[in-house]
Amino acid sequence: MGAEGVPAAREALLRRMYEVFSTDERDAFVPHCLSPEVDWPNMLDGVRAHGREAVRAYWARQFAAGHPLVRLEGLRLDGDGEAVVATVRTGMRDASGERWGEETVEHVYRFGGDGLVTRMDVRP
């Protein structure tokens, strides 16, 4: 799983985000990865979550509905050279174990001057 041209600090941050997303470390890691004014897609409601607390609340709803999983499959710079595209496979964990989707999606990240994520978008 390569990281085509992605700056090392951004690669490390995103890899860590994907490592902790499905764990209890998720909430504690938010200040280390998301800008206070982060703009994040709320896929459950088809709207955007603005700010760390809104993202935490959205994630809490996701985990209350099921246990979402994301597996990072690759990182690369987007065409503009600024955004980082993470290719991921999504899934769910339930009592019978892990179930992974057949398709991948792209998570597109933009960063602020402090190195934290300021925006994330999902592309099919």
Side-chain angles (χ1 to χ4, degrees), residues 26-27 30 34 40 42 44-45 49-65:
R26 174 182 56 258
D27 286 341
V30 165
L34 302 182
W40 196 269
N42 173 332
L44 294 175
D45 300 322
H50 298 280
R52 289 176 180 160
E53 293 312 311
V55 173
R56 278 189 175 117
Y58 167 60
W59 287 347
R61 282 187 55 219
Q62 278 187 304
F63 279 86

Side-chain angles (χ1 to χ4, degrees), residues 10-117:
R10 291 180 180 180
E11 177 183 358
L13 178 80
L14 291 173
R15 288 188 187 282
R16 184 70 179 134
M17 280 177 57
Y18 284 99
E19 286 173 6
V20 302
F21 177 73
S22 296
T23 73
D24 292 337
E25 294 179 61
R26 174 182 56 258
D27 286 341
F29 192 64
V30 165
H32 304 286
C33 63
L34 302 182
S35 165
E37 296 83 30
V38 66
D39 182 348
W40 196 269
N42 173 332
M43 303 301 285
L44 294 175
D45 300 322
V47 297
R48 308 281 309 174
H50 298 280
R52 289 176 180 160
E53 293 312 311
V55 173
R56 278 189 175 117
Y58 167 60
W59 287 347
R61 282 187 55 219
Q62 278 187 304
F63 279 86
H67 193 96
L69 301 168
V70 288
R71 181 172 60 213
L72 180 61
E73 296 194 340
L75 293 169
R76 64 179 168 76
L77 285 180
D78 204 13
D80 65 7
E82 292 296 318
V84 177
V85 178
T87 303
V88 299
R89 184 170 305 275
T90 60
M92 290 294 288
R93 181 179 300 137
D94 59 18
S96 65
E98 295 179 357
R99 289 189 267 176
W100 293 96
E102 294 301 315
E103 298 179 13
T104 58
V105 297
E106 293 181 335
H107 292 169
V108 182
Y109 294 93
R110 298 214 171 264
F111 296 83
D114 58 4
L116 300 179
V117 173

